[in-house]
Amino acid sequence: MHHSSATAERSTVDWLFLDMNAYFASVEQQRQPHLRGRPVAVVPTMTDRTCCIAVSYEARPFGVKTGVNVGLAKQLCPDLQLVEGRHEHYIETHHQILKAVESVLPIEKVCSIDEMVCPLAPPDRCPERAEQKGHAVKQAIFDQVGPYLRCSVGLAPNRFLAKVASNLQKPNGLSIITRAHLPYRLHSLKLTDLPGIGRNMQRRLANRGVTCTRQLCSLSKPAMRELWNSVLGEQWWHWLRGDEIGEKPTKRQTIGHSHVLAPALRTDDGARAVLVRLLHKAAARLRKEGYSARHLAVQVRYLGEAPRWSVRVPVGYTHDTPTLLRALITAWDARSPGGIPLQAGVTLLGLQRTSTLSMPLFAEDQQALQAAETMDDINKKAGPNSLYFASMHDTRESAPMRIAFTRIPDIESEMGG
């Protein structure tokens, strides 16, 4: 009896990892029927000097891939269809996908705009039931969002291996790794197929004589700790054996600010200006602490009996002030005015470490970044409130702070397939 239960445990899987295939390009093919079945590259602007930020599977046999210069991509694939990226479309579709997945399984964590991880309930952990759930998730996306949005699903005893499994078969794959498959199932993979081993780590491993996954899997726990020079090495030792261990330390849930309005600011214009100011402050904190937000919540309390106004807006995952400002102003303009405003507040919710997200670098982001760096330089030299967005005028004293942007990671190192 004991033997059979141990065998059963070696074949169970606890996690489903879902990775959308060629996500931005697929969204465009779903939205624009004339692009279906054709090689497509999504670009930040319609110029040959920029690079492809997403590429459909039809373009890949020509050697066109993410990060390739557009001029070169057109030479490699003369029939390439270029589409200017529209981030709001990808965010809207992302929310439709979340809803479709959650009709089948709860989502434990949204890892990026095109990746998520779901826990499997005990009855669904045997391989047959887990695979049925994997197919059901795919079918839900197909039916509820569209047939051109394909995904690869990985099933495994821990999140790390579920992500590895999701990469084994692309596009539209479903792969399973159980403890019984370990370590042999990993031996055929390159070290860089393992999430978290980039070029620098690969070089470091090679310097210690580890050049293939088989060697990595055979290392002892102390050797792994020494290789990573931290407890992370021990986590890797467990991850490669199917153990679930060392999920991130407890993270911050929200960042927000609220402010009781000075009597002179107790008007709609005053409340709006203070909300803009508070959002600048919250967004700067968001970036400083290394997070991106999935939702923006805004609220205004009024004097007397007037009902409070509050709204919650999806913003994808962003830490970019102009994007958050656009969401705030859109929500503000759509509200029904009510009463004399007394207190205003903004909260950024659904926080995720920016380093774990793969976000595209659009042209407008580059412009925003350049503008922000200019503001930073001037504010550094001339004092914290010398330069600011025009919509903050007259509220500089009500929530004083400096506008600071952090660097957006460059596209080629951040975007996966």
Side-chain angles (χ1 to χ4, degrees):
M1 179 66 202
H2 176 73
H3 175 71
S4 64
S5 67
T7 306
E9 191 185 322
R10 282 178 56 75
S11 69
T12 57
V13 292
D14 297 57
W15 296 96
L16 179 149
F17 190 95
L18 182 145
D19 180 3
M20 301 304 299
N21 302 142
Y23 179 59
F24 299 147
S26 302
V27 172
E28 297 299 346
Q29 287 176 320
Q30 181 62 45
R31 292 179 70 95
Q32 304 188 59
H34 73 277
L35 297 175
R36 295 171 186 177
R38 303 183 72 179
V40 174
V42 178
V43 295
T45 49
M46 288 301 206
T47 141
D48 284 6
R49 292 191 309 280
T50 184
C51 65
C52 302
I53 56 174
V55 171
S56 74
Y57 275 88
E58 293 87 352
R60 298 184 186 196
F62 296 91
V64 179
K65 56 186 185 193
T66 300
V68 165
N69 169 272
V70 171
L72 173 61
K74 282 157 71 173
Q75 288 172 21
L76 292 169
C77 178
D79 188 36
L80 189 65
Q81 309 293 302
L82 297 180
V83 182
E84 194 163 323
R86 296 292 300 276
H87 207 169
E88 61 272 24
H89 293 166
Y90 311 140
I91 291 168
E92 184 186 330
T93 305
H94 167 74
H95 287 285
Q96 292 169 1
I97 291 166
L98 295 185
K99 195 172 169 191
V101 172
E102 286 185 322
S103 71
V104 180
L105 285 174
I107 296 171
E108 165 91 1
K109 180 180 174 188
V110 176
C111 307
S112 70
I113 202 164
D114 59 353
E115 294 179 321
M116 61 207 71
V117 64
C118 303
L120 294 170
D124 298 324
R125 288 178 187 166
C126 67
E128 298 75 23
R129 287 290 294 272
E131 287 189 31
Q132 284 171 13
K133 284 289 182 187
H135 287 298
V137 163
K138 285 168 161 289
Q139 192 64 43
I141 294 171
F142 186 98
D143 293 340
Q144 297 175 41
V145 193
Y148 289 86
L149 289 153
R150 294 178 297 180
C151 64
S152 293
V153 165
L155 299 158
N158 64 22
R159 295 165 224 228
F160 174 86
L161 291 175
K163 183 174 168 86
V164 171
S166 74
N167 282 312
L168 292 178
Q169 196 185 344
K170 283 186 169 184
N172 211 24
L174 189 148
S175 304
I176 187 162
I177 297 175
T178 69
R179 280 189 173 82
H181 293 140
L182 298 171
Y184 313 105
R185 188 73 190 274
L186 305 178
H187 285 174
S188 60
L189 302 179
K190 300 196 295 284
L191 285 169
T192 50
D193 291 334
L194 301 175
I197 298 190
R199 279 184 296 239
N200 289 345
M201 193 63 204
Q202 185 185 18
R203 207 174 298 124
R204 188 157 150 195
L205 291 169
N207 289 341
R208 310 286 182 91
V210 177
T211 56
C212 66
T213 307
R214 180 193 290 265
Q215 289 172 313
L216 185 68
C217 291
S218 66
L219 291 174
S220 68
K221 203 187 289 187
M224 295 279 273
R225 185 181 176 123
E226 196 250 334
L227 251 177
W228 261 263
N229 199 21
S230 83
V231 73
L232 185 58
E234 288 183 23
Q235 290 180 12
W236 269 79
W237 187 90
H238 284 287
W239 287 341
L240 293 170
R241 282 152 183 78
D243 304 335
E244 184 62 67
I245 188 169
E247 182 58 9
K248 64 192 180 315
T250 53
K251 70 180 182 70
R252 179 184 261 292
Q253 298 302 309
T254 64
I255 285 177
H257 295 285
S258 77
H259 192 72
V260 175
L261 304 177
L265 291 172
R266 289 179 188 176
T267 63
D268 278 354
D269 285 349
R272 177 186 184 277
V274 168
L275 284 169
V276 166
R277 191 69 182 134
L278 294 174
L279 184 58
H280 274 281
K281 192 172 176 181
R285 266 183 67 197
L286 187 73
R287 289 186 297 274
K288 187 175 179 209
E289 297 189 26
Y291 288 103
S292 291
R294 186 170 161 193
H295 287 95
L296 164 68
V298 191
Q299 59 176 351
V300 175
R301 279 201 309 118
Y302 295 95
L303 275 173
E305 299 298 308
R308 190 182 68 151
W309 174 68
S310 80
V311 65
R312 182 169 163 160
V313 191
V315 289
Y317 274 110
T318 189
H319 55 230
D320 164 44
T321 300
T323 302
L324 291 165
L325 273 177
R326 281 196 294 273
L328 169 65
I329 299 308
T330 303
W332 177 262
D333 290 346
R335 87 202 188 291
S336 303
I340 299 168
L342 176 68
Q343 185 171 15
V346 297
T347 311
L348 299 169
L349 307 141
L351 307 188
Q352 194 67 51
R353 286 265 170 216
T354 303
S355 58
T356 66
L357 300 170
S358 53
M359 295 300 277
L361 186 58
F362 284 93
E364 64 200 63
D365 294 333
Q366 288 172 309
Q367 288 159 6
L369 181 61
Q370 284 160 2
E373 287 175 342
T374 306
M375 287 169 112
D376 269 2
D377 284 346
I378 293 171
N379 284 337
K380 216 175 283 177
K381 295 184 179 87
N385 280 322
S386 308
L387 193 61
Y388 51 89
F389 286 99
S391 49
M392 288 158 46
H393 197 58
D394 295 333
T395 61
R396 282 171 292 163
E397 301 314 311
S398 63
M401 49 81 55
R402 183 176 152 276
I403 304 159
F405 280 70
T406 54
R407 263 214 84 72
I408 298 169
D410 75 275
I411 168 118
E412 289 177 47
S413 65
E414 291 298 312
M415 288 294 290

